[in-house]
Amino acid sequence: MNLILMGLPGAGKGTQAKYIVDRYGIPHISTGDIFRAAIKDQTPMGVEAKKYIDKGDLVPDDVTSGIVKDRLSEDDTNKGYMLDGFPRTLQQANNLEEITSDLNKPLDAVINIDVNPDTLVERLSGRFICKNCGATYHKLYKMPKVKNTCDVCGGHEFYQRSDDKPETVKNRLDVNIKMNTPLIDFYKSKNILFTVDGNQSIEDVTKDIVKILDQFTV
Ligand code: AP5
């Protein structure tokens, strides 16, 4: 199963990705996670990407597409993959067409998590993350079951992403909203777009996604 999970910042891509990759046993390829790891390791690519991410801008298409090409060339994607946060521009979508065709790993489905933009600021500003394992929580919608303790790894330290600060969030949303409609139209025209209502609870969004993806496993 070769998939894209798309949606505006805060739509719930990372949250849903965890369930999907566990259920279907495919690797999760998040360009945002790849950039954050490179920033942490202070690689040349990370240093370059940080300049854009800190402002809420998109990292240039050639850099991002190159990363995805390398990652999709790895053997663990032969049985399927789930891209999260890529493509984000029409140029990236066209690059991906070329990459998947060269590698003979064509897309089966694009899941678009559709959320009212007004709620996204609240989603992003309330998000906090486990420092040890990266599990994502929300001050209102997804608190750890035991106070100050990560459900997944038992860690006690949490942080807020630097690009979730209010001054960056506004630009991130503006930039991504502008790019979103042409991308949706691109995949609609290929008849592989499935849109789910991301305004529901986390569990209900998961159920809707599973309903769609289970069709591809028979
Ligand atoms: P990236 O890391 O991909 O960030 P993003 O797209 O902005 O998405 P987020 O990770 O912020 O949100 P999400 O949809 O995963 O939401 P989450 O599940 O955490 O990219 C970061 C940056 O890297 C970009 O800004 C850009 O600079 C660069 N970049 C990455 N890819 C690029 C590309 N292809 N091209 C160029 N540049 C690129 O949920 C958010 C919160 O809401 C959480 O707290 C969660 O608990 C909560 N929540 C989730 N679902 C629900 C629900 N249904 N109800 C209530 N709360 C919910």
Side-chain angles (χ1 to χ4, degrees):
M1 195 159 28
N2 301 335
L3 308 172
I4 294 175
L5 195 56
M6 67 178 276
L8 293 171
K13 302 182 293 298
T15 301
Q16 297 300 332
K18 302 232 166 12
Y19 295 105
I20 297 169
V21 296
D22 280 357
R23 184 178 172 94
Y24 300 104
I26 52 176
H28 174 202
I29 304 174
S30 156
T31 40
D33 285 350
I34 293 171
F35 288 135
R36 280 184 289 279
I39 291 170
K40 196 170 163 207
D41 294 344
Q42 296 186 313
T43 68
M45 185 268 280
V47 172
E48 184 62 18
K50 190 174 186 317
K51 293 180 198 160
Y52 298 91
I53 293 175
D54 280 353
K55 288 189 278 184
D57 288 336
L58 295 179
V59 178
D61 289 337
D62 56 336
V63 177
T64 315
S65 300
I67 288 168
V68 171
K69 184 176 180 184
D70 290 348
R71 186 63 187 87
L72 287 182
S73 303
E74 290 178 30
D75 286 346
D76 66 336
T77 63
N78 292 345
K79 59 182 177 170
Y81 56 82
M82 196 193 62
L83 291 168
D84 159 1
F86 182 93
R88 266 179 227 233
T89 65
L90 268 185
Q91 181 61 54
Q92 291 181 13
N94 282 310
N95 293 348
L96 183 62
E97 289 291 296
E98 211 176 298
I99 295 166
T100 54
S101 156
D102 288 351
L103 295 170
N104 197 20
K105 296 177 181 176
L107 286 170
D108 294 309
V110 177
I111 304 288
N112 173 36
I113 306 180
D114 184 37
V115 178
N116 182 344
D118 294 345
T119 62
L120 295 173
V121 176
E122 183 188 66
R123 292 253 187 110
L124 294 171
S125 57
R127 172 166 59 185
F128 61 101
I129 298 167
C130 172
K131 207 168 180 179
N132 183 46
C133 74
T136 300
Y137 298 93
H138 193 279
K139 282 177 190 164
L140 299 176
Y141 305 118
K142 195 185 171 207
M143 287 293 284
K145 292 185 184 100
V146 178
K147 201 175 172 195
N148 286 331
T149 306
C150 176
D151 295 348
V152 180
C153 73
H156 299 296
E157 285 187 78
F158 299 88
Y159 70 97
Q160 185 186 32
R161 259 170 56 176
S162 62
D163 60 347
D164 280 348
K165 305 259 155 64
E167 57 280 15
T168 313
V169 163
K170 191 185 172 318
N171 188 43
R172 261 171 82 200
L173 287 173
D174 288 348
V175 166
N176 282 275
I177 286 169
K178 206 163 65 189
M179 300 292 173
N180 209 36
T181 311
L183 265 188
I184 287 175
D185 291 343
F186 181 87
Y187 288 115
K188 227 185 233 169
S189 73
K190 294 188 176 294
N191 283 323
I192 54 170
L193 183 81
F194 298 84
T195 295
V196 298
D197 178 5
N199 299 293
Q200 314 171 81
S201 70
I202 294 174
E203 294 74 21
D204 285 343
V205 177
T206 308
K207 276 187 205 151
D208 282 358
I209 295 177
V210 165
K211 236 183 263 168
I212 295 165
L213 294 184
D214 276 356
Q215 298 169 40
F216 292 90
T217 58
V218 273

